[in-house]
Amino acid sequence: MHKLKRGKMRFGEIFSLSWKEYKKNFKVFATILILLSFIPAIITYIISIPFTLEYLKLGAQPTFSEILAIYLSSKYLLVFIFGIISFILGLWMSASLIYNSLYRKKEMSVKETLAGGRKYFWKFFGFSIVYFIFLALLFLLLIIPGIIFLVFWIFASYIFIGENKGILESLKISKKIVKGRWWSTFGFLLLFGLIAIGISIVFSIVPGIISIVIGLAYLTSPSSIPPPTVITINFISQIFSLLANLITTPLGILFFKNFYLDMKKTAKLKK
């Protein structure tokens, strides 16, 4: 039986190639993330402040009825609506970045990238729902099946947008590409995940230090920390988290795009 090769490129080579692409197209990626992720997230957070203040007033041990009343209030409804809008914009962002990574030859403008994402938006919306439902059901089966198919379907979104395949066909092709090379694919996924976690940790240092300092100031009575202080700390944490995403999100899309193209070269796919 013919044994499939892992792929022609090593992890370091794929990561280096992806990093070069990231740096070269940084302005486009940054603009798209600011428009479709940063601004919506900040607006949603600001809108959630009245809801957060109401929640903090409940104290350390609120009753279920008190919590339910807060979540059924008009304040939370507005937060929920903007959360849905942020989710939709996030899908548009993902589709746009994947489109850019696959169809960009030399350069692609922000306008072209967003237009490409808009072109695939509703299809990608449907793909994301099906993908999420399938994985959720698999993870309910003692987690292990979910992990197995998470790796098998890792390239499905690139196939869906790059090759214009159907949802189920994209999942099947991704599984064929990974089949026989599951462990090496899992290893690449794990390594990149560790790098992404490392980047997130670096960006969490500043808000972490601020939280520790505030915590020490109210060490004897943590519950007495003024609500505006809590909101400010959370806001700073969110800003730094968004800055980390500015690196990890586009870099991740580029990395797995390059990994997919490399694996596809040695995959045995029937025409």
Side-chain angles (χ1 to χ4, degrees), residues 19-265:
W19 181 250
K20 288 177 182 177
E21 279 189 72
Y22 171 77
K23 290 192 295 181
K24 186 177 180 180
N25 299 278
F26 175 77
K27 289 183 180 179
V28 173
F29 296 146
T31 302
I32 290 172
L33 261 76
I34 289 170
L35 289 174
L36 302 182
S37 179
F38 282 34
I39 293 175
I42 291 171
I43 291 173
T44 302
Y45 185 83
I46 292 171
I47 290 172
S48 72
I49 289 175
F51 167 78
T52 305
L53 289 171
E54 287 293 325
Y55 192 88
L56 290 172
K57 287 179 182 178
L58 298 179
Q61 295 180 325
T63 64
F64 176 76
S65 59
E66 288 175 329
I67 295 174
L68 185 62
I70 291 290
Y71 276 95
L72 292 177
S73 68
S74 58
K75 294 184 180 69
Y76 180 73
L77 178 61
L78 192 59
V79 175
F80 179 77
I81 291 172
F82 272 84
I84 295 296
I85 293 172
S86 295
F87 171 75
I88 292 171
L89 292 176
L91 285 178
W92 184 15
M93 178 189 73
S94 297
S96 298
L97 293 177
I98 293 172
Y99 178 85
N100 179 290
S101 72
L102 291 167
Y103 290 98
R104 170 179 29 83
K105 293 182 179 179
K106 291 186 178 180
E107 292 184 1
M108 184 181 290
S109 68
V110 172
K111 184 177 180 180
E112 291 172 319
T113 301
L114 292 175
R118 188 169 62 248
K119 174 184 175 182
Y120 285 94
F121 175 77
W122 287 111
K123 290 181 180 180
F124 189 70
F125 181 81
F127 168 86
S128 300
I129 291 175
V130 173
Y131 180 82
F132 174 79
I133 291 173
F134 282 3
L135 278 183
L137 291 174
L138 287 166
F139 270 104
L140 287 174
L141 299 174
L142 302 176
I143 299 177
I144 300 300
I147 296 174
I148 292 172
F149 280 89
L150 175 66
V151 176
F152 272 135
W153 294 339
I154 196 169
F155 303 129
S157 59
Y158 298 97
I159 296 165
F160 184 74
I161 291 178
E163 300 184 25
N164 292 299
K165 299 292 185 180
I167 297 173
L168 297 181
E169 185 66 17
S170 297
L171 297 175
K172 289 178 183 178
I173 294 174
S174 179
K175 186 174 183 293
K176 288 180 181 178
I177 292 174
V178 175
K179 190 175 182 180
R181 301 179 286 188
W182 190 93
W183 282 107
S184 60
T185 304
F186 176 73
F188 276 43
L189 174 61
L190 183 62
L191 281 174
F192 185 85
L194 290 173
I195 291 173
I197 291 171
I199 293 170
S200 297
I201 289 173
V202 169
F203 278 88
S204 69
I205 292 174
V206 171
I209 291 173
I210 294 172
S211 297
I212 290 171
V213 171
I214 297 297
L216 290 174
Y218 291 89
L219 188 62
T220 56
S221 182
S223 60
S224 65
I225 299 176
T229 302
V230 175
I231 289 171
T232 302
I233 294 172
N234 291 339
F235 181 73
I236 293 171
S237 297
Q238 177 140 357
I239 292 296
F240 276 86
S241 177
L242 289 170
L243 289 174
N245 290 341
L246 183 61
I247 299 174
T248 57
T249 299
L251 183 59
I253 287 173
L254 291 171
F255 177 84
F256 288 105
K257 179 267 297 187
N258 289 322
F259 187 26
Y260 154 64
L261 294 177
D262 181 56
M263 291 279 279
K264 184 182 175 182
K265 292 176 184 176

Side-chain angles (χ1 to χ4, degrees), residues 1-16:
M1 182 180 290
H2 178 75
K3 187 177 180 180
L4 287 174
K5 297 179 180 178
R6 179 194 62 202
K8 295 181 179 180
M9 300 176 71
R10 296 179 181 275
F11 178 89
E13 293 172 318
I14 295 175
F15 188 85
S16 178

